[in-house]
């Protein structure tokens, strides 16, 4: 028997953040997984970021997480997406060296004081007195701990599908987690059956890249941490398209697809459909754009983003060869779909602890999400709270009004999911305030309070804020033709560079990102002010706790509203307001109930 403060089950993106965060907070951590060589593996596209996702990676870095650090160190291609659109949706995306990312992640975990890597498969949750007491392994060991974080990805009772052929696996070539689903059900948890997939990997030397549209890396490159890696602008990616021949072949053989043949029961991600699903759902299109991306500088494989499939291998060969540039393509690893068990996330609270089993935390795809970034963000929150719970401290979270991570947490636990959850900018009603360029300003103080952000780094963030504020004040006071320089900057064709050329340069210590941020704050000032007023109007509801309210004692609640509140048990009035089935009149009734103090006797009891 071994004693720890926190046991983290899994070594993917969620597990890495959870283990590192808990250890940095002083917890003794066991990271349990069958094969430590798989720490940090990128089984899908080796890329970090994109719309809605890069914002979370910037927030992770601001809070003291490590994904941005690993992504920058191993990046081989970088692009700013939506660069021509508004600041709220501009997003960084980096392509990574797949094997390099995993090696860097394992080195980070192994070098972190307080983490023991335990090679084992989890068999059962240990429960004593109605709370978690650790995890047992399939070889008979017990890892005792007051807090457990499940970061099992797609491994819970996982099954992979190639056409109508299936076999138990968490992902290609790796056995599933065979026992934890039963353990979760025994402790009263409801499980969902979900599905995801991955595209084929193509031998790079079998593709005629000259027929493809090249997409060069940004130069100079952007980065999540401000420290671009050595290869960040050295590698191109490419574009190709499906053809009518591709679509005809897929439609003619739909019954061979595991999904369309009826073999797969799990719900798949609507926003990341298979190529079969795209062809069926968008029958009016004669082509679909595909992104051809290298798995690394020194690897021999290309990743075909947008071409996930559950067709049998023999058909995949034919499908691939209908694509321009892929007429002689050879598949190294075939596409497949994977079904797996996940927790219904409404059984969690916003700290990612189970409402049913104190001490049990979970993060990543086990919570019904899809994507590396969503997993890592949850991992950080779960790891911090597992360490705090083990130490007898109050748990913490990121609120919805603080960032994308808070939006995701609120979405998951408030109403649960109907399909794998993917973060989108459209999910965030505060997206103009939650830009990737101001993540440090919003969350570095939070990370510092949690104990993950150093005094030195917080000072750097504050100094940067001061430089931006001073430059804004200077430009507001400066005049060009009798008008404020800030007003001139808002005109079409004008920019920070053109305006400062007229009024003189600012502080030489201003970085390129700080100058860009000044321009964003000037150009979008009226919209940002409006968003701030909206946020302030809602702040009272977000701060009003209803965690201890007995809804049966609240007068005038509708039956539907009362049922929704009892089922979800929202922590705040703001969270209650966003529940399906809760009316404005229900929120008003709750507010009256809180203001009249009618719940005091219940809380005191």
């Amino acid at each position: 028997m071994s004693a720890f403060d926190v046991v983290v089950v899994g070594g993917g993106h969620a597990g890495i953040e959870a283990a590192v965060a808990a250890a940095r907070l002083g917890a003794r951590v066991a990271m349990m997984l069958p094969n430590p060589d798989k720490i940090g593996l990128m089984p899908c596209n080796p890329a970090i970021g994109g719309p809605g996702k890069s914002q979370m990676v910037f927030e992770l870095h601001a809070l003291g997480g490590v994904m941005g650090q690993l992504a920058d160190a191993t990046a081989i291609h970088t692009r700013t997406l939506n660069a021509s659109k508004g600041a709220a949706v501009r997003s960084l995306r980096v392509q990574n060296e797949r094997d390099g990312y995993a090696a860097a992640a394992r080195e980070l975990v192994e070098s972190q004081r307080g983490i023991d890597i335990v090679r084992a498969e989890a068999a059962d949750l240990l429960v004593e007195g109605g709370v978690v007491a650790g995890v047992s392994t399939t070889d008979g060991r017990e890892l005792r701990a007051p807090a457990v974080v499940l970061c099992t990805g797609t491994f819970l009772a996982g099954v992979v599908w190639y056409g109508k052929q299936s076999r138990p696996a968490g992902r290609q070539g790796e056995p599933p987690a065979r026992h934890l689903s039963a353990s979760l059900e025994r402790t009263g948890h409801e499980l969902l059956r979900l599905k995801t997939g991955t595209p084929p990997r193509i031998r790079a030397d079998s593709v005629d890249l000259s027929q493809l549209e090249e997409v060069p890396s940004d130069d100079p490159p952007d980065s999540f941490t401000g420290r671009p890696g050595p290869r960040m602008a050295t590698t191109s990616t490419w574009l190709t398209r499906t053809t009518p021949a591709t679509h005809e072949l897929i439609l003619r053989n739909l019954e061979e697809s595991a999904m369309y043949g009826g073999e797969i029961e799990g719900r798949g991600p609507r926003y990341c459909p298979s190529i079969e699903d795209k062809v069926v759902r968008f029958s009016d299109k004669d082509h679909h754009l595909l992104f051809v991306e290298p798995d690394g500088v020194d690897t021999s494989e290309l990743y075909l983003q947008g071409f996930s499939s559950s067709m049998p291998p023999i058909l995949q060969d034919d499908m691939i060869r209908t694509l321009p540039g892929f007429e002689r393509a050879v598949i190294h690893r075939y596409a497949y779909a994977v079904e797996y068990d996940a927790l219904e996330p409404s059984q969690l609270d916003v700290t990612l602890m189970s409402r049913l089993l104190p001490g049990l935390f979970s993060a990543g795809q086990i919570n019904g999400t899809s994507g590396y970034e969503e997993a890592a963000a949850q991992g950080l929150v779960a790891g911090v709270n597992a360490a705090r719970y083990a130490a007898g401290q109050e748990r913490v979270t990121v609120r919805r009004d603080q960032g994308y991570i808070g939006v995701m947490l609120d979405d998951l636990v408030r109403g649960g999911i109907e399909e794998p959850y993917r973060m989108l900018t459209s999910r965030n009603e505060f997206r103009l305030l939650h830009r990737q360029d101001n993540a440090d300003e919003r969350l570095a103080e939070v990370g510092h309070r949690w104990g993950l952000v150093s005094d030195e780094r917080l000072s750097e963030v504050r100094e940067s804020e001061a430089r931006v504020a001073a430059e804004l004040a200077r430009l507001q006071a400066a005049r060009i033709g009798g008008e404020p320089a800030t007003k001139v900057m808002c005109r079409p064709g004008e920019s920070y560079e053109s305006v400062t050329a007229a009024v003189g340069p600012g502080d030489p210590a201003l970085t390129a990102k700080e100058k860009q941020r000044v321009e964003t704050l000037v150009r979008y000032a009226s919209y940002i002010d409006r968003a701030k007023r909206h946020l302030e109007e809602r702040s009272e509801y977000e701060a009003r706790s209803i965690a201890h309210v007995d809804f049966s004692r609240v007068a005038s609640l509708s039956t539907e509203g009362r049922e929704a509140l009892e089922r979800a048990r929202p922590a705040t009035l703001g969270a209650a307001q966003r529940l399906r089935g809760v009316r404005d009149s229900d929120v008003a009734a709750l507010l009256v109930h809180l203001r009249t103090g009618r719940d005091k006797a219940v809380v005191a009891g």
Side-chain angles (χ1 to χ4, degrees):
M1 182 180 72
S2 301
F4 297 91
D5 298 309
V6 177
V7 175
V8 175
V9 180
H13 303 285
I16 291 165
E17 297 286 355
V20 171
R24 287 180 175 173
L25 294 182
R28 187 185 176 202
V29 179
M31 176 187 273
M32 177 196 296
L33 71 167
N35 186 357
D37 290 338
K38 304 299 184 180
I39 292 173
L41 187 69
M42 301 174 112
C44 291
N45 193 352
I48 301 295
K53 293 171 176 280
S54 74
Q55 285 85 347
M56 285 197 294
V57 181
F58 278 98
E59 290 177 0
L60 265 171
H61 181 63
L63 289 166
V66 299
M67 174 171 267
Q69 168 189 334
L70 293 170
D72 284 354
T74 59
I76 59 174
H77 180 277
T78 175
R79 294 283 291 176
T80 296
L81 307 182
N82 298 323
S84 63
K85 298 182 180 179
V89 296
R90 288 180 196 143
S91 307
L92 174 63
R93 184 179 185 274
V94 301
Q95 188 75 15
N96 293 95
E97 176 79 33
R98 181 193 63 199
D99 295 339
Y101 189 101
R106 180 169 181 179
E107 181 181 358
L108 176 68
V109 171
E110 290 178 335
S111 65
Q112 176 60 54
R113 182 178 179 182
I115 298 179
D116 289 354
I117 298 174
V118 179
R119 188 170 194 139
E121 180 186 352
D124 205 355
L125 295 170
L126 301 177
V127 180
E128 295 176 358
V131 300
V132 157
V135 180
S136 66
T137 69
T138 54
D139 58 12
R141 288 175 286 168
E142 289 188 352
L143 277 62
R144 309 286 294 190
V148 172
V149 187
L150 298 181
C151 306
T152 52
T154 60
F155 280 73
L156 283 187
V159 175
V160 298
W161 290 89
Y162 298 84
K164 297 187 177 182
Q165 300 297 313
S166 67
R167 61 175 178 268
R171 57 190 173 209
Q172 189 179 56
E174 295 182 63
R178 300 167 293 171
H179 307 286
L180 278 178
S181 291
S183 184
L184 286 167
E185 288 180 325
R186 281 196 300 273
T187 53
H189 292 88
E190 177 189 351
L191 298 182
L192 306 172
R193 195 70 174 162
L194 299 179
K195 166 254 175 185
T196 189
T198 188
R201 275 34 166 224
I202 315 298
R203 251 181 57 182
D205 61 5
S206 70
V207 177
D208 183 359
L209 297 176
S210 67
Q211 291 192 47
L212 310 185
E213 179 184 342
E214 185 175 5
V215 181
S217 185
D218 285 345
D219 191 11
D222 198 356
S223 65
F224 293 111
T225 65
R227 300 173 181 83
R231 288 176 161 177
M232 205 167 224
T234 61
T235 305
S236 290
T237 62
W238 300 267
L239 298 176
T240 190
R241 290 167 173 78
T242 60
T243 65
T246 317
H247 296 196
E248 194 274 334
L249 183 60
I250 289 171
L251 291 172
R252 195 170 67 240
N253 292 280
L254 266 183
E255 73 280 357
E256 298 298 326
S257 163
M259 183 176 69
Y260 278 92
E263 277 74 17
I264 290 180
E265 298 177 359
R267 287 170 283 181
R270 186 180 9 154
Y271 299 104
C272 190
S274 67
I275 190 62
E276 300 99 276
D277 207 18
K278 288 181 187 177
V279 170
V280 171
R281 286 168 53 189
F282 306 104
S283 57
D284 57 322
K285 288 194 171 186
D286 62 1
H287 73 270
H288 292 284
L289 195 63
L290 303 173
F291 297 85
V292 183
E293 300 174 322
D295 269 3
V297 174
D298 302 318
T299 62
S300 60
E301 291 184 344
L302 297 174
Y303 182 96
L304 194 56
Q305 185 189 354
F307 208 85
S308 75
S309 176
S310 61
M311 286 289 198
I314 192 169
L315 277 172
Q316 290 186 41
D317 288 327
D318 294 338
M319 288 159 56
I320 286 296
R321 290 168 189 158
T322 64
L323 308 177
F326 286 73
E327 292 82 0
R328 294 179 176 81
V330 175
I331 297 178
H332 254 179
R333 290 184 286 166
Y334 288 95
Y336 62 90
V338 56
E339 277 189 296
Y340 56 96
D341 285 345
L343 283 167
E344 165 51 62
S346 62
Q347 297 167 108
L348 311 173
D349 65 25
V350 288
T351 71
L352 294 180
M353 189 171 82
S354 168
R355 300 178 192 268
L356 305 176
L357 186 58
L360 178 65
F361 298 82
S362 54
Q365 284 177 286
I366 187 176
N367 289 344
T369 58
S370 173
Y372 302 150
E373 301 84 358
E374 289 88 342
Q378 292 171 71
L380 182 80
V381 173
V384 167
N385 282 309
R388 295 178 71 93
Y389 178 86
Q393 299 172 342
E394 183 181 3
R395 288 173 285 132
V396 294
T397 194
V398 179
R399 300 191 314 270
R400 188 180 187 96
D401 61 340
Q402 289 179 305
Y404 274 81
I405 294 175
V407 170
M408 174 180 64
L409 296 174
D410 184 58
D411 283 350
L412 289 175
V413 308
R414 174 172 47 90
I417 59 167
E418 297 180 354
E419 61 181 328
Y421 179 96
R422 179 180 182 178
M423 178 49 72
L424 307 167
T425 54
S426 60
R427 296 190 190 275
N428 188 346
E429 66 271 35
F430 306 118
R431 56 188 171 271
L432 189 53
L433 300 179
H434 296 165
R435 307 181 308 276
Q436 64 180 29
D437 70 282
N438 70 349
D440 279 344
E441 176 189 338
R442 290 183 283 115
L443 293 171
E445 291 267 8
V446 175
H448 184 261
R449 288 197 300 271
W450 291 359
L452 295 177
V453 172
S454 67
D455 293 344
E456 180 183 13
R457 180 153 183 271
L458 184 61
S459 293
E460 291 175 358
V461 170
R462 288 171 173 167
E463 288 167 5
S464 177
E465 290 178 33
R467 286 192 295 270
V468 169
E471 182 67 350
L472 277 172
R474 183 181 80 93
L475 294 176
Q476 286 164 353
R479 293 291 185 271
I480 299 176
E483 291 187 303
T486 49
K487 184 175 181 179
V488 174
M489 194 186 297
C490 294
R491 294 174 182 165
E494 298 289 353
S495 65
Y496 176 84
E497 287 74 17
S498 66
V499 166
T500 53
V503 301
D507 184 346
L510 280 166
T511 67
K513 280 196 170 185
E514 288 166 351
K515 293 174 183 177
Q516 186 179 51
R517 190 156 162 240
V518 168
E519 183 170 327
T520 295
L521 291 172
V522 169
R523 284 185 175 277
Y524 296 94
S526 60
Y527 301 101
I528 291 172
D529 287 344
R530 187 187 308 162
K532 285 181 176 177
R533 287 195 299 272
H534 175 56
L535 182 60
E536 288 167 1
E537 289 168 0
R538 291 185 52 171
S539 62
E540 179 188 0
Y541 286 1
E542 299 299 335
R544 283 268 189 171
S545 173
I546 59 171
H548 302 293
V549 170
D550 179 353
F551 298 118
S552 68
R553 296 170 60 92
V554 181
S556 303
L557 277 180
S558 68
T559 300
E560 184 182 13
R562 194 185 309 277
E563 289 174 352
L565 290 164
E566 291 285 5
R567 182 169 57 251
R569 295 299 313 177
T572 67
L573 192 60
Q577 186 181 36
R578 293 186 293 274
L579 284 175
R580 288 191 295 270
V582 173
R583 308 170 186 172
D584 288 345
S585 60
D586 295 325
V587 175
L590 282 168
L591 193 57
V592 169
H593 183 82
L594 293 170
R595 285 174 175 167
T596 56
R598 293 177 184 173
D599 234 32
K600 288 181 179 177
V602 175
V603 175

